[in-house]
């Protein structure tokens, strides 16, 4: 009896210790979570920080490696110019109650962009493995809907503004 009580106590202490070692949520991640819930989306899971980079023009134009950055910045209200030379941190959440949920019959991944603790914006994409394409704006709009331009026209403007 005494041995089983000691074993149970040791097990309880180990479990408490493990529970205390859980991932701590950063202030930026909390900012991102608050923003998402304020938009009316329900967070079903959090992946935490998924990317961090220093923004420069090379991220926006030129090589094929710039395509994901260009597409993400293309659907933002904020212009990237104000963030050159600064660290951009991206947090990923899977949400429900998003406009893309009805279109794709799936949950949606939302990516929140922060710089120096401030919200820049974000983008979204259906939570479907293997699905390819450009990201949508945070609220599910295409680049064409956000900018009012067709892709080729938008790209010409983008290259003129950020090209060498």
């Amino acid at each position: 009896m005494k041995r089983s009580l000691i074993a149970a106590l040791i097990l309880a202490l180990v479990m408490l210790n493990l529970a205390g070692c859980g991932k701590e949520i950063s202030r930026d991640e909390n900012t991102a979570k608050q923003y998402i819930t304020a938009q009316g989306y329900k967070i079903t899971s959090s992946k935490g920080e998924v990317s961090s980079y220093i923004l420069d023009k090379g991220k926006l134009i030129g090589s094929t490696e710039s395509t994901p950055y260009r597409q993400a910045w293309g659907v933002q209200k904020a212009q990237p110019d104000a963030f050159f030379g600064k660290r951009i941190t991206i947090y990923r959440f899977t949400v429900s109650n998003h406009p893309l949920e009805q279109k794709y019959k799936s949950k949606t991944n939302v990516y929140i962009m922060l710089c120096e603790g401030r919200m820049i914006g974000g983008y979204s994409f259906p939570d479907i493995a293997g699905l390819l394409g450009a990201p949508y704006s945070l609220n599910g709009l295409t680049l064409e809907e956000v900018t009012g331009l067709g892709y080729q026209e938008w790209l010409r403007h983008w290259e003129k503004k950020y090209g060498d």
Side-chain angles (χ1 to χ4, degrees):
M1 179 75 162
K2 193 174 187 182
R3 230 184 275 192
S4 63
L5 183 59
I6 291 172
L9 183 59
I10 289 172
L11 181 61
L13 288 172
V14 168
M15 295 301 282
L16 280 173
N17 189 33
L18 289 174
C21 294
K23 183 180 136 190
E24 188 174 317
I25 296 175
S26 72
R27 184 178 303 170
D28 280 358
E29 188 171 352
N30 272 330
T31 298
K33 281 183 171 188
Q34 290 171 2
Y35 185 80
I36 289 171
T37 56
Q39 302 306 304
Y41 307 139
K42 181 179 184 232
I43 297 172
T44 59
S45 71
S46 172
K47 298 291 183 197
E49 182 180 326
V50 294
S51 180
S52 179
Y53 60 91
I54 303 296
L55 182 62
D56 59 40
K57 282 189 178 186
K59 293 257 189 282
L60 301 177
I61 196 155
S63 67
T64 55
E65 289 83 18
S66 69
T67 301
Y69 300 101
R70 183 173 53 248
Q71 290 176 336
W73 279 97
V75 293
Q76 303 309 308
K77 291 179 185 173
Q79 295 297 305
D81 313 57
F83 303 98
F84 286 145
K86 296 182 181 178
R87 178 162 302 282
I88 308 302
T89 306
I90 301 172
Y91 294 88
R92 177 180 157 193
F93 304 89
T94 302
V95 302
S96 60
N97 199 34
H98 188 278
L100 294 179
E101 188 173 10
Q102 292 178 349
K103 182 176 183 176
Y104 288 95
K105 307 294 184 232
S106 75
K107 291 184 179 173
T108 302
N109 290 319
V110 171
Y111 301 82
I112 301 296
M113 302 165 64
L114 289 107
C115 178
E116 299 174 347
R118 292 186 348 218
M119 279 288 305
I120 295 172
Y123 50 96
S124 58
F125 201 79
D127 187 26
I128 300 173
L131 182 65
L132 300 174
Y136 292 86
S137 70
L138 196 53
N139 59 349
L141 299 177
T142 64
L143 180 131
E144 291 81 2
E145 291 169 322
V146 169
T147 65
L149 302 172
Y151 178 74
Q152 292 302 322
E153 185 180 2
W154 171 83
L155 186 59
R156 279 194 300 278
H157 287 247
W158 189 266
E159 289 173 342
K160 184 177 180 182
K161 185 173 184 176
Y162 297 111
D164 292 332

